[in-house]
Amino acid sequence: MGELFARMRRSPQGLLGMILVATMLVIAITGPWIAPYDPETFAPLLRYKPPTFEHWMGTDQYGRDILSRLLVGARSTVLMAMLASALGTLAGALIGTTSAYLGGRADEAIMRTIDAVMSIPSLLMALLIVTLLGKSSVNALFAIGIAFTPGMARVTRSVALAVRKQDYVSAAIARGESARYIVWREMLPNVVAPIIVEMTIRVAFAVMLFATLSFLGLGAQPPKPEWGLMVSESRKYMGQSPWMILWPSLSIATVAIGFNLLGDGLRDALNPRT
Amino acid sequence: MSILSVDDYSLDYAVPAGLRRALDGVSLHIDRGEVLGLVGESGSGKTSLAWAIMRYLPESAKESGRIALGSQPLTGATPGEIAAIRGKRIGMVFQDPGTSLNPTLTLGAQLSEVLVLHRGLAKKEAETEGEALLARVGLRNPAAMMRRYPHEASGGEKQRVVIATAFACQPELILFDEPTTALDVITARQILDLFAELQEETHVASLYISHDLAVVSAIANRVAVIHRGHIVETGPIGDVFARPRDSYTKMLLEAVPRPGHRIVATQPDAQSAPLLAADRIGVTYGRKSFVSSLLGRAQERFAGNREVSLTIRPGEILGIVGESGSGKSTLAKALTGLNPFTGEIRFGGRAIANLRAMDEAYRRDVQIIFQNPDSSLNPRQRVREILSRPLALYGETKGGKTRDVIAGLLEQVRLPAEFADRFPHQLSGGEKQRVAIARAFASNPKLVICDEITSSLDVSVQAAVIALLVELQRIHGTSYLFITHDLNLVRQIAHRIAVMYRGALVELIDVSRLPEGAVNGYTRELLAAVPAPLSARA
């Protein structure tokens, strides 16, 4: 693990990605305590304020402090995106590895089903699921997780197929191990590295998908300080106070870039040939 | 004047931990018409030396000393000078013709490219010359061979094309890097004969790199023994092999299998009922596709095994030999339930007709050890977990603590108990194979199938692993099904030998009746092709 960090630090994108993601995580965890104001308290006298010394990023249409809203909202945006990616990754990895392990007709049936699901764009898929389950942050999380599953299953299966041919899997079958043990203990640990890279890059997509769902009014509901929702609400006031839409947009972009860089760095660091 | 002179040449590779020495003060000379055999185990630096002579080193290489071809120094030559030398004055033949030829170009195109580039022939002339060269290396119908792609030729034919390419420009020096290791015994023999013939005719200076002492003793004039980047002994082949001075050379020669030298003392009871009887085992590969079954099309299926019948008695070591693709491993997989099969297996009197009938008792009694421990040990599991699985599955701990049982298993294969906490990548190749052996013996099996278990190991490590297997067999009375392509090795330990050819069993013979007793033509051919053991020549 220590060696991995050392290798990450050597590549510029890995280092920058680590810094950005670490900062975001610190904000997501400590946000509510370091926020200078309450994110949901209306202040009718302080509406549409440009950045000042009291309000570093200005205030919104109800006079709420934008910095505080961003700090508190980081949790529901970044952490939710990571959870959704983890959910999709876990489900996809399990399906992909099992499919590769079973092989033959079962593999064919599973992968063609996955293909069918994959032909629906992930945003459309997420919209469909949220519409069915109802509007809420938790449902959006499930929707994104499910939307990510087919892609992850594909990536995992391609790696797992190579692992399936290794003699340690043959040895386990010859020994009479259960399918569960072979998939969980023999195969999954050996497909983890490429999956982690894929997952990291997908977190960036998840942040944007979350923001998109909230923007469309299907994810977090007002007055929650969710970043996508903030962008959506401030759209109407773009003309008179542009910083209202600027700050949350910049935050979303930063997280997406951070996770993308981290993924690139991880890919290089986990590849023994570089 | 020597064709190739290497003087006090040292090579280091820069690795994150500092410099790693690959070659240490190497000096050697090859004269015209001479074959120098360079013998060493894996990691000894023999291939690094070949690349150093070819001037094809990674950027991390740091070198000192001097390499010269005739009067021209190679160390410090400009890229332009090197390009003029490679292929023209120094030829090279690699280990695996499957990877040294470009799969997207015809064999003819790859051969004539060299002729156009280095001998300045026109395209038409190069093709005619190429055909002559292919005829020279013993390929029938060279014109057709010129138009073929590498996948349309066999391994032996491809290696002949590579040799033709190396000899194409009448180079002064040819480097051979294990040119027969990837080939079957009979094909390898033919390539060696061809090499001797061409060598005689062209008087080229050759550096022949190999780990196989028997091969080197058959073709080289002089031999250099390399150990950890250091040449420990050089001299005429007869001197070095008959009267080795260095302790490493002695150890290496000691480890080479000699068929006359039996190392198994036990004899199975000829009267006892067979432990395992395979009756007309057949394995076919390939799945009938949905579309062709819908259209009622018959599909050609590849037969891995055709009606193989054999028996193994308790305490017997049955050797199975044959070239790659002859169905040896397919049989091993059928017997361990990794391949569906037709026919019937009788084990200890019980009939097993299909995979489902292979219950826990059968799987406990029949264990398999694979060829390559790198792939048969899960890289993400510690030795402790690897060894604890058979114990957990078959309940062999007998009330004892798992920790103690694992220590006992490691002890049995001569490994320290603290290896239990290591990962496979922290062990050497021989140690990994010992862990695999310990895993197979954890369930106290009655039959252990050894599938080429020593072919990925160096000769000295191989000798130790074989000694261990023989010792375990003596203690436990286990039967072995010992699959190998090394006839000399199997004749040392097996009681009977089964010869397989294209999926069928062609001969099953008691080892004491070899070589005279062999009746099958293929068996005789195989026996004749095996490089004669050292003791016979030295």
Side-chain angles (χ1 to χ4, degrees):
Chain A
M1 207 57 198
E3 199 206 321
L4 186 68
F5 273 115
R7 291 176 69 108
M8 288 277 289
R9 274 207 309 273
R10 269 202 292 279
S11 73
Q13 68 265 58
L15 182 64
L16 191 59
M18 277 205 297
I19 293 172
L20 283 177
V21 170
T23 318
M24 280 302 162
L25 283 181
V26 168
I27 290 175
I29 291 163
T30 59
W33 296 301
I34 57 171
Y37 300 92
D38 184 275
E40 290 178 19
T41 310
F42 290 2
L45 297 174
L46 296 170
R47 292 160 70 205
Y48 312 116
K49 283 273 185 273
T52 58
F53 194 71
E54 283 84 34
H55 300 277
W56 290 359
M57 290 184 180
T59 56
D60 67 3
Q61 71 274 26
Y62 300 116
R64 297 174 294 196
D65 181 46
I66 293 182
L67 177 65
S68 303
R69 282 178 70 75
L70 282 179
L71 288 174
V72 175
R75 202 174 270 188
S76 55
T77 310
V78 180
L79 287 188
M80 288 296 249
M82 287 175 74
L83 273 178
S85 313
L87 184 76
T89 305
L90 189 69
L94 267 180
I95 293 174
T97 314
T98 310
S99 183
Y101 166 72
L102 292 172
R105 296 227 156 82
D107 180 37
E108 203 75 26
I110 294 173
M111 288 324 289
R112 293 301 79 78
T113 313
I114 291 283
D115 282 349
V117 178
M118 247 181 123
S119 63
I120 308 167
S122 51
L123 178 61
L124 208 59
M125 182 78 186
L127 278 176
L128 201 72
I129 295 166
V130 174
T131 320
L132 284 177
L133 295 178
K135 298 184 276 187
S136 84
S137 300
V138 181
N139 287 346
L141 186 149
F142 278 114
I144 292 170
I146 294 169
F148 276 0
T149 304
M152 290 309 299
R154 281 224 122 169
V155 173
T156 316
R157 176 177 170 270
S158 63
V159 187
L161 276 181
V163 173
R164 175 73 172 78
K165 290 199 186 76
Q166 297 289 317
D167 282 338
Y168 52 82
V169 178
S170 298
I173 297 170
R175 205 157 64 214
E177 293 280 8
S178 66
R180 219 176 91 116
Y181 178 86
I182 294 173
V183 168
W184 273 100
R185 293 292 313 150
E186 301 278 352
M187 291 176 73
L188 262 183
N190 286 291
V191 298
V192 150
I195 291 177
I196 292 210
V197 173
E198 181 71 16
M199 183 183 111
T200 319
I201 292 175
R202 274 183 190 255
V203 172
F205 285 105
V207 169
M208 291 189 281
L209 258 180
F210 250 112
T212 313
L213 283 180
S214 303
F215 179 86
L216 294 172
L218 295 168
Q221 298 302 314
K224 271 197 90 174
E226 204 273 343
W227 296 355
L229 192 63
M230 286 167 71
V231 174
S232 161
E233 285 180 337
S234 53
R235 199 169 36 133
K236 282 176 274 183
Y237 313 102
M238 208 154 64
Q240 57 204 99
S241 55
W243 49 87
M244 271 173 63
I245 195 165
L246 185 71
W247 298 122
S249 307
L250 269 180
S251 308
I252 293 171
T254 314
V255 174
I257 291 168
F259 272 101
N260 262 319
L261 290 175
L262 183 74
D264 283 351
L266 266 177
R267 189 189 53 215
D268 293 344
L270 287 171
N271 184 353
R273 277 189 292 271
T274 51
Chain B
M1 170 133 217
S2 304
I3 297 284
L4 176 77
S5 41
V6 179
D7 293 301
D8 196 26
Y9 182 79
S10 298
L11 178 69
D12 292 282
Y13 291 114
V15 290
L19 288 179
R20 201 174 62 79
R21 181 137 281 210
L23 293 169
D24 186 20
V26 170
S27 296
L28 42 87
H29 300 265
I30 309 177
D31 292 326
R32 189 171 141 75
E34 191 180 43
V35 182
L36 177 72
L38 183 64
V39 175
E41 299 185 296
S42 53
S44 61
K46 47 192 199 309
T47 300
S48 282
L49 181 62
W51 289 122
I53 294 168
M54 268 305 210
R55 309 308 304 151
Y56 188 72
L57 292 167
E59 276 179 22
S60 60
K62 306 268 176 293
E63 40 181 0
S64 72
R66 185 173 170 275
I67 301 176
L69 180 70
S71 56
Q72 184 176 12
L74 294 177
T75 35
T78 64
E81 288 165 358
I82 294 297
I85 288 173
R86 276 189 204 148
K88 187 171 169 61
R89 294 179 63 196
I90 306 180
M92 187 154 181
V93 176
F94 300 91
Q95 176 171 349
D96 187 359
T99 54
S100 62
L101 289 168
N102 187 333
T104 60
L105 294 175
T106 60
L107 296 169
Q110 301 186 49
L111 177 53
S112 36
E113 186 198 359
V114 179
L115 295 166
V116 171
L117 200 67
H118 289 303
R119 279 171 58 183
L121 298 182
K123 211 164 168 246
K124 268 275 176 294
E125 291 170 331
E127 270 169 31
T128 328
E129 177 69 21
E131 279 180 32
L133 281 166
L134 290 185
R136 182 66 207 82
V137 294
L139 287 168
R140 270 161 293 181
N141 203 351
M145 190 57 81
M146 290 287 280
R147 285 191 301 275
R148 286 201 200 159
Y149 285 91
H151 71 267
E152 295 172 310
S154 73
E157 286 168 338
K158 278 185 274 192
Q159 196 63 304
R160 279 170 197 269
V161 173
V162 174
I163 290 175
T165 315
F167 277 92
C169 300
Q170 284 117 31
E172 295 153 54
L173 172 73
I174 300 186
L175 310 177
F176 293 86
D177 188 3
E178 308 244 12
T180 60
T181 308
L183 304 174
D184 293 313
V185 182
I186 295 175
T187 319
R189 183 81 226 165
Q190 291 161 351
I191 294 288
L192 287 179
D193 290 344
L194 169 71
F195 167 72
E197 210 178 295
L198 289 171
Q199 169 73 28
E200 191 71 25
E201 191 183 297
T202 57
H203 292 289
V204 66
S206 303
L207 178 67
Y208 195 98
I209 297 172
S210 181
H211 69 279
D212 191 335
L213 287 103
V215 166
V216 169
S217 75
I219 59 154
N221 312 112
R222 287 196 305 131
V223 64
V225 181
I226 187 168
H227 180 49
R228 293 190 184 158
H230 195 74
I231 301 237
V232 294
E233 191 160 0
T234 359
I237 203 111
D239 283 3
V240 173
F241 283 1
R243 289 174 296 279
R245 277 171 290 126
D246 186 81
S247 59
Y248 176 73
T249 317
K250 281 182 193 152
M251 193 272 290
L252 213 55
L253 288 167
E254 197 61 34
V256 175
R258 283 162 306 208
H261 175 70
R262 293 281 297 171
I263 50 177
V264 170
T266 58
Q267 265 302 331
D269 182 6
Q271 260 69 54
S272 61
L275 174 68
L276 179 139
D279 187 27
R280 297 198 303 278
I281 297 293
V283 175
T284 48
Y285 286 120
R287 183 157 56 100
K288 201 169 183 186
S289 86
F290 178 66
V291 177
S292 48
S293 67
L294 207 65
L295 298 174
R297 255 189 309 205
Q299 205 182 19
E300 191 83 2
R301 298 184 89 197
F302 177 78
N305 280 148
R306 300 165 214 267
E307 307 225 321
V308 175
S309 299
L310 46 80
T311 59
I312 302 165
R313 290 192 287 267
E316 185 184 33
I317 301 180
L318 177 69
I320 297 189
V321 293
E323 58 192 39
S324 50
S326 61
K328 307 185 296 278
S329 293
T330 305
L331 181 66
K333 285 189 175 155
L335 293 180
T336 45
L338 293 171
N339 272 346
F341 59 91
T342 58
E344 193 184 68
I345 299 170
R346 292 191 72 80
F347 187 81
R350 275 190 316 134
I352 287 152
N354 53 42
L355 291 186
R356 219 162 278 152
M358 287 190 182
D359 54 5
E360 195 190 294
Y362 179 83
R363 291 188 186 276
R364 180 176 60 220
D365 286 341
V366 180
Q367 291 287 318
I368 184 166
I369 308 171
F370 293 93
Q371 171 172 0
N372 191 346
D374 284 324
S375 122
S376 71
L377 303 180
N378 193 331
R380 302 271 170 181
Q381 294 182 354
R382 287 177 199 277
V383 170
R384 179 182 309 289
E385 184 172 7
I386 291 170
L387 292 180
S388 69
R389 282 317 293 178
L391 301 176
L393 276 176
Y394 311 128
E396 286 290 335
T397 45
K398 297 201 186 79
K401 271 197 183 148
T402 312
R403 168 178 288 273
D404 301 334
V405 178
I406 287 173
L409 286 172
L410 286 170
E411 156 103 59
Q412 201 174 33
V413 294
R414 317 265 181 283
L415 290 178
E418 61 264 27
F419 273 33
D421 291 317
R422 297 211 185 164
F423 282 104
H425 66 85
Q426 295 167 311
L427 307 176
S428 74
E431 288 164 350
K432 275 183 265 192
Q433 198 59 292
R434 280 165 195 266
V435 171
I437 292 171
R439 173 170 67 182
F441 275 89
S443 62
N444 287 322
K446 294 198 175 78
L447 171 67
V448 174
I449 298 174
C450 307
D451 188 1
E452 298 263 14
I453 62 166
T454 58
S455 56
S456 66
L457 304 176
D458 283 320
V459 66
S460 57
V461 182
Q462 163 178 309
V465 167
I466 292 296
L468 172 69
L469 276 180
V470 169
E471 173 71 9
L472 288 172
Q473 201 262 352
R474 198 179 56 76
I475 298 170
H476 299 288
T478 322
S479 303
Y480 289 155
L481 191 68
F482 196 87
I483 298 172
T484 182
H485 64 276
D486 189 341
L487 256 172
N488 285 341
L489 173 66
V490 80
R491 282 173 71 184
Q492 282 193 297
I493 60 165
H495 298 113
R496 285 188 301 156
I497 291 178
V499 183
M500 292 194 69
Y501 182 62
R502 299 207 174 157
L505 185 73
V506 295
E507 180 134 24
L508 186 59
I509 186 171
D510 203 285
V511 78
S512 59
R513 291 176 53 222
L514 281 176
E516 295 78 21
V519 287
N520 184 275
Y522 176 74
T523 313
R524 287 171 167 278
E525 207 183 329
L526 199 63
L527 283 164
V530 174
L534 295 167
S535 50
R537 216 178 291 102

